[in-house]
Amino acid sequence: MNLKHSSFEPGEFSEAFAKQNFSEVRELIYSKNKNDVERALAKKKRDLSDFMALISPAAAPYLEQMAQEAQSLTQKRFGKTIQLYIPLYLSNECLSSCTYCGFRKENEIPRVRLTKEEVLKEVEILKSWGYESVLLVTGDMNKKAGRDYLLEAISWIRPYFAQISAEVQPMDQADYELLRAAGLNGVMIYQETYGPNYKEFHYKGSKSNFNYRLQTPDRLGKAGIHKIGLGCLLGIEDWRADSWMVAFHLEFLKKTYWRTKFSISFPRLRPAEGVLEPGHPVNDKELAQLICAYRLLDENLELSLSTRESSEFRDHAIHFGITSLSAGSKTDPGGYASEKENLEQFSIDDDRSAFAVASKLKSQGLEAVFKDWEKSFG
């Protein structure tokens, strides 16, 4: 297997990915020893081989050293600020069968798609909390909650937010170009897993198309989307191998679409209606190690942590690499304006309000930033 990644040629990521082998990547990670870790820690500029060492079991005893350098690098680049954003769930209608998701087609739950009036009620509440950055979320339902619905939704909320991102089903390049022109700034597209068992977790629906999903960041880059978010769902496959694949994907995209901004998220599998238990659970120390490793790989990378995680963990993570947090989140359509049962995509852990999170940040010498993008720049 070729692991020399310093000279990517512009092109589709799928071509580079085809040269990788998930099992071999995993074996290489677990073969790393303390000498590999110490060599990586001694460097000022690190590559994917160093990242492999830093996420390996051999790096666990070096977590404190990694955290200290990660904190230093984060403050050097981002200062003492944390951006706050909030998800706005527009629809839980879905035709895909993902074994870990509360929106999966087989779940007998009420299905909702918000109207303009309902969306604006949500917006009113989010604005009262001070939010300027919103993440639009839908299930996988192209006809009812696809491009045309998103174009409408963006037109409804664009006057109220400085930054609009989306975490929705993959689309064609032409669709992303239309959404960007309408005011969409960023797209979060998580492969969930790069492993050979992808089909096992996505056995029906459009999300079962591994290659189309894999090629989505290329389409986003070509469409000129300002920010692309990557990640894997931690817990469904070996987290180390999956996370290395995410980093491999990231390095390719940075080289190919160099005008684009990138972020990494760290979703751990959470309880939801009718979903599987994590087959490869990730504990808090391992997640902290992973966050630190990403920061040591790239000091300019935005690292985001959602309310999936506990308040205790998030309060620590902001000191060793995290630069973006959601706060006060609801994972059900209409959840801010009303209380509805059995509509959640997953249950959150940190249920503090935006005000409480901002206050906690201030008490730790950090500043909560609700806006980092001026729409006039778009």
Side-chain angles (χ1 to χ4, degrees), residues 278-291:
H280 303 266
V282 183
N283 63 42
D284 284 357
K285 285 187 176 180
E286 290 169 336
L287 182 53
Q289 179 185 347
L290 178 60
I291 293 169

Side-chain angles (χ1 to χ4, degrees), residues 17-28:
F17 178 77
K19 300 175 183 178
Q20 308 304 317
N21 181 289
F22 194 84
S23 296
E24 289 182 22
V25 167
R26 183 172 54 217
E27 290 174 8
L28 280 169

